[in-house]
Amino acid sequence: MNPLTSKEISEAVLRLPSLPHIVMELIDALDNGDVDTNTLAQKISHDQAITAKVLGLANSSFYGMQSKVGSIPHAVTVLGFNSVRSLVTAAAVVDTFSEGQPKELNYAEFWKHAIATALAAKAIARSRGGNEDQAFIGGLLHNIGRLVLATYSPSRYQEVLKWRSQHDEDLVVAEIHVLGIDHKVAGREILAHWKLPASIVETLHPLTENKLNEYSLIASVVTVADAIAYGLDLSGGAQDRVPVISQHEWDVLKLDQQTLFEIFSTTERQFKEACMILGANAGDG
Amino acid sequence: MASTNPSQEIPLDQATPGMVLAEAVLDKSGARLISPDVELTEKSIHALKHRGIQSIKVLLPVIEEGNSQVREQQLQRLDELFKNSLSSEANRLLLDCLRRYRMMQ
C-alpha cells in the first residue's frame, strides 16, 4: 500500500473541524506576554459550554481550592490566566472532537488516554519546576495526529488497528507499516495549522541522537507522561502497550522513586473527575 | 466477641496453624476449650484432636484474599502493558517503580 503523501495529510488536516475562535485567540496569546486577560476572560464567558466545564475543573480536586470559583474572571484571578487557558483548550478540544467522528477510533478510550497523559505531564512539570500548562496541553494533544489519520481514511486506519492486534505491536509501528507515516507527523501538521506555539509543536518532533541539546524538555515530559498514563492503565484498552522511553528522555527528568509515586497518585486521583467534567466518558458502557 | 467476618466449618484434620477461630470450641460437656478470635497453633490443634473434637469453625480471610487477587491482576496487567518495551532500561525502571507502587497500595 502506498504511504500517505504530505498533500494527503494537508487535506486531512483541512477536513478536521476547526477549534472555536476563542481557543485560537487564547493560543495566539500563549507566546505573547502582553495580553489583555480581562477582555479574554469576558470572551470565554460567552461560551457557556466551555465556561461550565472550566468552572467544573476549577472547583474539582484538580486544584483543591478552598472556596468556590464562580466565574471565568474569578478563575483567572485565583488560578492565573495560564491555567484557565489550559482548561479552556482542554474543554474545547475534547468537545470539538467527540461528535460525529468515524467509529474506527474508540473516542472514549482516546480521550481518556489523552487526559491521563495531560495530568501526568502536568504533575511531572510541577515536580521539575517546569511550565505546567504547556506540559498539560502538550500531553493532551500528543496523539491528536491519530484523529487526523482516522478521519482522513477510516478504512485505512482500520487496517492499522487490525495489523496492530495481529502483530501485538505498538500503534506507531503499525501506522508506519500500513500508512508509511506515524501520527506524530500528522500531529505536527494539525498543531501548525492551528498555529499552536513552537513549544507545543516541538513536543512531536522526533528525537535525533546528534541533536539532544535541542530536544525540548516538554517533549521528554510528554513522552514519560504517555508511558505513565499507559502504565497506570487509565484508558484500559486491550491493546494498550507502553511505548519505549529513550534513555535521554528519562535521564533528563531525573525522577526519583518518591517523585514518581507522587506523580502516579496525583494522576490517578484527578483522572476520573477530569474525564467526567470534560465529557470523555461519553460512549462508555 | 466473635468477629462478623464470614466463617466456615472445617474438619479438624484440615486445620492449620494461623487459622483464626470464629466460634469457641467446646468439649462434650460444654466446657470451653478455646475462645473465639484465637489463632490456632500446632499445639492447640493437637490438643483439640486429643479431646476428640471433629470439626471447628474458622474465619475466612476473604478481604485479604480479594486484595491480593486485585493486586495479582494489576501486576499481570503491568507485565502485559510493558511487554513490548522491556528492551529499554528506562521502561524497566518505570515498570519496577509501578510494581512497587501497586504493592504499596
Side-chain angles (χ1 to χ4, degrees):
Chain A
M1 186 172 283
N2 296 329
L4 283 182
T5 63
S6 57
K7 183 167 165 282
E8 284 176 303
I9 297 167
S10 305
E11 277 173 30
V13 164
L14 291 175
R15 273 198 221 168
L16 287 175
S18 45
L19 289 177
H21 190 68
I22 179 64
V23 177
M24 304 303 281
E25 271 190 71
L26 288 173
I27 287 170
D28 258 352
L30 255 177
D31 281 343
N32 182 357
D34 184 30
V35 285
D36 179 0
T37 57
N38 288 335
T39 309
L40 284 172
Q42 287 306 328
K43 283 187 181 174
I44 298 167
S45 307
H46 292 157
D47 189 319
Q48 293 186 357
I50 288 180
T51 298
K53 288 183 178 181
V54 169
L55 294 182
L57 285 171
N59 288 308
S60 73
S61 62
F62 205 68
Y63 290 102
M65 303 295 295
Q66 295 297 318
S67 60
K68 198 169 158 62
V69 179
S71 68
I72 297 287
H74 185 192
V76 171
T77 310
V78 293
L79 304 177
F81 183 68
N82 287 336
S83 293
V84 171
R85 172 166 46 205
S86 298
L87 296 181
V88 170
T89 307
V93 173
V94 179
D95 242 20
T96 306
F97 292 101
S98 292
E99 280 169 26
Q101 297 298 326
K103 61 182 182 310
E104 280 70 17
L105 207 60
N106 179 331
Y107 279 80
E109 225 172 88
F110 178 88
W111 283 117
K112 278 181 182 174
H113 175 68
I115 290 167
T117 306
L119 294 173
K122 184 171 183 284
I124 296 172
R126 163 167 288 213
S127 76
R128 294 276 288 113
N131 187 322
E132 292 179 42
D133 296 296
Q134 273 185 6
F136 182 83
I137 296 182
L140 187 77
L141 299 178
H142 79 287
N143 272 348
I144 197 81
R146 296 225 159 104
L147 293 184
V148 180
L149 298 176
T151 308
Y152 181 69
S153 178
S155 59
R156 285 174 83 174
Y157 208 72
Q158 191 62 50
E159 273 180 62
V160 172
L161 297 177
K162 206 169 118 191
W163 193 89
R164 173 182 66 163
S165 53
Q166 278 168 355
H167 295 81
D168 190 15
E169 271 285 5
D170 202 68
L171 197 45
V172 173
V173 179
E175 285 167 350
I176 292 173
H177 182 85
V178 176
L179 303 172
I181 64 159
D182 67 63
H183 67 277
K184 289 196 174 189
V185 178
R188 288 203 295 277
E189 283 279 327
I190 182 97
L191 296 189
H193 176 70
W194 286 341
K195 300 193 171 52
L196 261 87
S199 56
I200 304 289
V201 183
E202 272 172 14
T203 60
L204 295 177
H205 277 294
L207 181 144
T208 37
E209 289 299 328
N210 54 352
K211 287 184 180 169
L212 290 181
N213 294 337
E214 294 170 30
Y215 194 64
S216 89
L217 182 67
I218 296 285
S220 298
V221 168
V222 171
T223 302
V224 173
D226 185 23
I228 289 175
Y230 279 127
L232 290 171
D233 200 18
L234 291 171
S235 45
Q239 305 291 330
D240 283 355
R241 296 289 177 268
V242 176
V244 170
I245 306 168
S246 72
Q247 201 58 41
H248 173 78
E249 289 170 305
W250 182 257
D251 289 345
V252 81
L253 296 179
K254 300 186 181 73
L255 299 168
D256 58 24
Q257 173 165 301
Q258 188 52 39
T259 311
L260 280 164
F261 280 6
E262 279 162 24
I263 293 164
F264 298 160
S265 73
T266 303
T267 305
E268 282 189 324
R269 196 177 63 242
Q270 298 176 340
F271 175 71
K272 262 197 181 145
E273 206 169 7
C275 285
M276 206 175 69
I277 295 166
L278 288 170
N281 294 323
D284 262 11
Chain B
M1 278 299 292
S3 163
T4 52
N5 283 9
S7 58
Q8 189 186 12
E9 188 159 358
I10 57 165
L12 187 62
D13 51 14
Q14 282 178 23
T16 54
M19 285 182 169
V20 178
L21 286 169
E23 284 177 5
V25 184
L26 310 176
D27 72 0
K28 279 171 196 144
S29 68
R32 180 178 283 205
L33 299 175
I34 311 182
S35 301
D37 286 331
V38 171
E39 197 174 308
L40 291 173
T41 62
E42 232 167 275
K43 226 174 173 178
S44 60
I45 294 169
H46 185 76
L48 290 175
K49 279 179 183 162
H50 192 70
R51 295 279 192 137
I53 302 294
Q54 299 293 317
S55 63
I56 54 169
K57 218 167 182 186
V58 293
L59 293 178
L60 290 173
V62 270
I63 294 164
E64 263 177 36
E65 210 165 74
N67 269 346
S68 71
Q69 263 178 19
V70 169
R71 182 173 293 165
E72 195 50 45
Q73 279 170 5
Q74 284 177 332
L75 294 179
Q76 276 176 13
R77 175 71 173 156
L78 268 179
D79 287 337
E80 198 184 329
L81 289 165
F82 275 87
K83 72 179 188 186
N84 291 350
S85 57
L86 290 174
S87 56
S88 153
E89 193 194 331
N91 286 61
R92 291 197 299 274
L93 289 169
L94 180 62
L95 172 60
D96 282 348
C97 207
L98 279 160
R99 272 204 192 114
R100 282 195 288 273
Y101 178 69
R102 291 295 180 221
M103 297 300 285
M104 221 178 58
Q105 286 174 324

